[in-house]
Short mmCIF file of all heavy atoms in Angstrom, two decimals:
data_model
loop_
_atom_site.label_atom_id
_atom_site.label_comp_id
_atom_site.label_asym_id
_atom_site.label_seq_id
_atom_site.Cartn_x
_atom_site.Cartn_y
_atom_site.Cartn_z
N PHE A 38 17.26 -9.77 -6.93
CA PHE A 38 16.86 -9.12 -8.17
C PHE A 38 17.84 -8.02 -8.55
O PHE A 38 18.23 -7.88 -9.71
CB PHE A 38 15.46 -8.53 -8.02
CG PHE A 38 14.35 -9.51 -8.24
CD1 PHE A 38 13.80 -10.21 -7.18
CD2 PHE A 38 13.87 -9.76 -9.51
CE1 PHE A 38 12.77 -11.11 -7.38
CE2 PHE A 38 12.85 -10.67 -9.72
CZ PHE A 38 12.30 -11.35 -8.66
N LEU A 126 13.14 -20.32 -2.04
CA LEU A 126 12.00 -19.75 -2.77
C LEU A 126 12.42 -18.80 -3.89
O LEU A 126 11.56 -18.23 -4.56
CB LEU A 126 11.08 -19.00 -1.80
CG LEU A 126 10.47 -19.83 -0.67
CD1 LEU A 126 9.64 -18.94 0.26
CD2 LEU A 126 9.60 -20.95 -1.23
N GLY A 127 13.74 -18.63 -4.09
CA GLY A 127 14.23 -17.67 -5.07
C GLY A 127 13.72 -17.91 -6.47
O GLY A 127 13.27 -16.99 -7.17
N LYS A 128 13.77 -19.16 -6.92
CA LYS A 128 13.32 -19.49 -8.28
C LYS A 128 11.83 -19.17 -8.45
O LYS A 128 11.42 -18.64 -9.49
CB LYS A 128 13.58 -20.98 -8.54
CG LYS A 128 13.18 -21.44 -9.95
CD LYS A 128 14.00 -20.72 -11.02
CE LYS A 128 13.65 -21.24 -12.41
NZ LYS A 128 14.39 -20.52 -13.46
N LEU A 129 11.04 -19.46 -7.43
CA LEU A 129 9.61 -19.17 -7.49
C LEU A 129 9.37 -17.67 -7.60
O LEU A 129 8.52 -17.22 -8.38
CB LEU A 129 8.91 -19.73 -6.23
CG LEU A 129 7.41 -19.51 -6.13
CD1 LEU A 129 6.69 -20.21 -7.28
CD2 LEU A 129 6.88 -20.02 -4.79
N PHE A 130 10.13 -16.87 -6.85
CA PHE A 130 10.01 -15.42 -6.92
C PHE A 130 10.40 -14.90 -8.31
O PHE A 130 9.77 -14.00 -8.86
CB PHE A 130 10.86 -14.75 -5.85
CG PHE A 130 10.20 -14.69 -4.50
CD1 PHE A 130 10.49 -15.62 -3.52
CD2 PHE A 130 9.29 -13.70 -4.21
CE1 PHE A 130 9.88 -15.57 -2.28
CE2 PHE A 130 8.68 -13.62 -2.97
CZ PHE A 130 8.97 -14.56 -2.00
N PHE A 131 11.45 -15.47 -8.89
CA PHE A 131 11.88 -15.06 -10.22
C PHE A 131 10.79 -15.35 -11.26
O PHE A 131 10.53 -14.54 -12.15
CB PHE A 131 13.17 -15.79 -10.62
CG PHE A 131 14.40 -15.24 -9.95
CD1 PHE A 131 15.50 -16.05 -9.75
CD2 PHE A 131 14.45 -13.94 -9.53
CE1 PHE A 131 16.64 -15.56 -9.14
CE2 PHE A 131 15.58 -13.42 -8.91
CZ PHE A 131 16.68 -14.24 -8.72
N GLN A 132 10.15 -16.51 -11.16
CA GLN A 132 9.08 -16.85 -12.09
C GLN A 132 7.87 -15.94 -11.92
O GLN A 132 7.26 -15.50 -12.90
CB GLN A 132 8.68 -18.32 -11.90
CG GLN A 132 9.74 -19.31 -12.35
CD GLN A 132 9.33 -20.75 -12.11
OE1 GLN A 132 8.48 -21.03 -11.26
NE2 GLN A 132 9.94 -21.68 -12.84
N LEU A 133 7.53 -15.65 -10.67
CA LEU A 133 6.40 -14.75 -10.40
C LEU A 133 6.69 -13.36 -10.94
O LEU A 133 5.83 -12.72 -11.57
CB LEU A 133 6.13 -14.69 -8.90
CG LEU A 133 5.01 -13.73 -8.44
CD1 LEU A 133 3.68 -14.13 -9.07
CD2 LEU A 133 4.90 -13.72 -6.92
N ALA A 134 7.91 -12.87 -10.73
CA ALA A 134 8.28 -11.54 -11.23
C ALA A 134 8.27 -11.52 -12.75
O ALA A 134 7.82 -10.55 -13.36
CB ALA A 134 9.67 -11.16 -10.71
N GLY A 135 8.77 -12.58 -13.39
CA GLY A 135 8.75 -12.65 -14.84
C GLY A 135 7.34 -12.62 -15.40
O GLY A 135 7.06 -11.95 -16.40
N PHE A 136 6.42 -13.31 -14.71
CA PHE A 136 5.02 -13.33 -15.14
C PHE A 136 4.39 -11.94 -14.99
O PHE A 136 3.72 -11.45 -15.90
CB PHE A 136 4.24 -14.36 -14.32
CG PHE A 136 2.75 -14.30 -14.52
CD1 PHE A 136 2.17 -14.81 -15.67
CD2 PHE A 136 1.93 -13.73 -13.55
CE1 PHE A 136 0.79 -14.75 -15.86
CE2 PHE A 136 0.56 -13.67 -13.74
CZ PHE A 136 0.00 -14.19 -14.89
N LEU A 137 4.61 -11.31 -13.85
CA LEU A 137 4.01 -9.99 -13.60
C LEU A 137 4.60 -8.92 -14.51
O LEU A 137 3.91 -8.02 -14.96
CB LEU A 137 4.19 -9.60 -12.14
CG LEU A 137 3.36 -10.38 -11.11
CD1 LEU A 137 3.74 -9.96 -9.70
CD2 LEU A 137 1.87 -10.17 -11.33
N LEU A 138 5.92 -9.00 -14.78
CA LEU A 138 6.58 -7.99 -15.59
C LEU A 138 6.53 -8.31 -17.07
O LEU A 138 7.06 -7.57 -17.89
CB LEU A 138 8.04 -7.84 -15.14
CG LEU A 138 8.24 -7.44 -13.67
CD1 LEU A 138 9.72 -7.37 -13.33
CD2 LEU A 138 7.56 -6.13 -13.37
N VAL A 140 8.03 -10.58 -18.87
CA VAL A 140 9.33 -10.88 -19.48
C VAL A 140 9.66 -12.33 -19.17
O VAL A 140 9.02 -12.98 -18.34
CB VAL A 140 10.46 -9.96 -18.94
CG1 VAL A 140 10.18 -8.51 -19.30
CG2 VAL A 140 10.62 -10.10 -17.43
N GLN A 141 10.68 -12.82 -19.83
CA GLN A 141 11.10 -14.19 -19.57
C GLN A 141 11.65 -14.29 -18.15
O GLN A 141 12.41 -13.42 -17.71
CB GLN A 141 12.16 -14.62 -20.58
CG GLN A 141 12.55 -16.09 -20.47
CD GLN A 141 13.53 -16.50 -21.56
OE1 GLN A 141 13.89 -15.69 -22.41
NE2 GLN A 141 13.97 -17.74 -21.53
N ALA A 142 11.27 -15.36 -17.44
CA ALA A 142 11.71 -15.53 -16.05
C ALA A 142 13.23 -15.58 -15.97
O ALA A 142 13.89 -16.22 -16.80
CB ALA A 142 11.11 -16.81 -15.47
N LEU A 143 13.80 -14.89 -15.00
CA LEU A 143 15.25 -14.87 -14.82
C LEU A 143 15.74 -16.22 -14.33
O LEU A 143 15.06 -16.91 -13.58
CB LEU A 143 15.63 -13.77 -13.81
CG LEU A 143 15.30 -12.33 -14.23
CD1 LEU A 143 15.54 -11.38 -13.07
CD2 LEU A 143 16.14 -11.91 -15.43
N PHE A 505 4.19 -5.95 -7.28
CA PHE A 505 5.06 -7.02 -6.81
C PHE A 505 5.86 -6.58 -5.58
O PHE A 505 5.96 -7.31 -4.59
CB PHE A 505 6.00 -7.45 -7.94
CG PHE A 505 7.00 -8.50 -7.55
CD1 PHE A 505 6.61 -9.81 -7.35
CD2 PHE A 505 8.34 -8.18 -7.38
CE1 PHE A 505 7.53 -10.79 -7.00
CE2 PHE A 505 9.26 -9.14 -7.03
CZ PHE A 505 8.86 -10.45 -6.84
#
Side-chain angles (χ1 to χ4, degrees):
F38 277 93
L126 300 177
K128 182 63 177 178
L129 180 62
F130 277 98
F131 284 154
Q132 290 178 337
L133 177 60
F136 171 76
L137 290 175
L138 302 178
V140 297
Q141 186 176 358
L143 297 172
F505 177 73

